[in-house]
Amino acid sequence: MTLRTNGSATLAALSRDADAALRTLGLRSTFTLDDLHCRMEWLRGRPVRLIPTDLPVLAPHGAWIAAEAADYIFFDRSGGPLLTTQIIGHEYGHMVYDAAALAAVTPLIAAPRPAGGAVRGATLAHAGYHPFRERRAEVFGTVVVQRVAPWSSHGGVTRAGPPDLPARMMAALEGGRVRA
């Protein structure tokens, strides 16, 4: 599988890359969200937790957090099945394509925080907006939407856990306190 790494790739080329990545994961021409979820856990070698949450209107619709023992995908619970599949597929695209880049900066995430608890910009530099990476993940999510069948709720959604987990994760990323 040849993955494109620059912004000159066309949408058709990125779509072919996504198809190749899904084939490499052992998925057929159509698959369920649960099939994809299981393959992503296999790829990552650890649990992938899907956590629906209420996100602010202007916030991203989803986020992938690679923690020490598991991966977490937070996504906006207000979307319907199509949007939810696209968001989760987009974040899976980051896992497929961007995991190596994340591994290079993971030690920075574990570094002690400066006084006041704020996370320095360099620590979360990998979380910044990279147009090509976002475009590639978006196409991956779109190909997932095109190939998922049947349309149903995703069984891999994590429902257990502390109700304030999304707020605590956002506060940790923003260096602030959990809002009550």
Side-chain angles (χ1 to χ4, degrees):
M1 170 172 62
T2 302
L3 299 179
R4 300 181 204 300
T5 58
N6 62 47
S8 66
T10 65
L11 290 176
L14 292 173
S15 182
R16 286 190 302 273
D17 285 350
D19 280 329
L22 291 167
R23 276 193 311 278
T24 299
L25 288 170
L27 294 166
R28 299 174 188 242
S29 60
T30 60
F31 49 84
T32 67
L33 286 173
D34 286 334
D35 293 338
L36 177 57
H37 183 78
C38 289
R39 300 312 294 163
M40 293 307 298
E41 288 184 324
W42 170 82
L43 176 70
R44 299 290 293 153
R46 59 201 194 155
V48 176
R49 308 283 188 226
L50 301 176
I51 303 172
T53 190
D54 296 315
L55 295 172
V57 174
L58 297 178
H61 294 283
W64 164 43
I65 309 288
E68 193 171 324
D71 288 295
Y72 297 88
I73 294 178
F74 293 88
F75 62 94
D76 192 350
R77 78 171 79 233
S78 67
L82 180 76
L83 180 58
T84 298
T85 301
Q86 178 19 319
I87 294 166
I88 292 170
H90 175 103
E91 300 308 329
Y92 283 157
H94 284 303
M95 288 180 174
V96 167
Y97 298 123
D98 301 332
L102 176 68
V105 297
T106 298
L108 293 174
I109 295 170
R113 292 183 178 198
V119 178
R120 293 195 189 277
T123 304
L124 294 176
H126 71 283
Y129 184 81
H130 301 279
F132 176 71
R133 287 182 185 164
E134 291 303 320
R135 183 177 183 199
R136 184 173 56 189
E138 199 67 18
V139 170
F140 187 89
T142 299
V143 171
V144 166
V145 166
Q146 293 168 346
R147 293 182 52 188
V148 163
W151 283 99
S152 62
S153 63
H154 191 287
V157 173
T158 300
R159 293 182 188 358
D164 65 338
L165 179 63
R168 289 187 350 217
M169 292 294 287
M170 285 190 270
L173 291 171
E174 295 172 357
R177 297 176 189 222
V178 177
R179 296 182 190 126

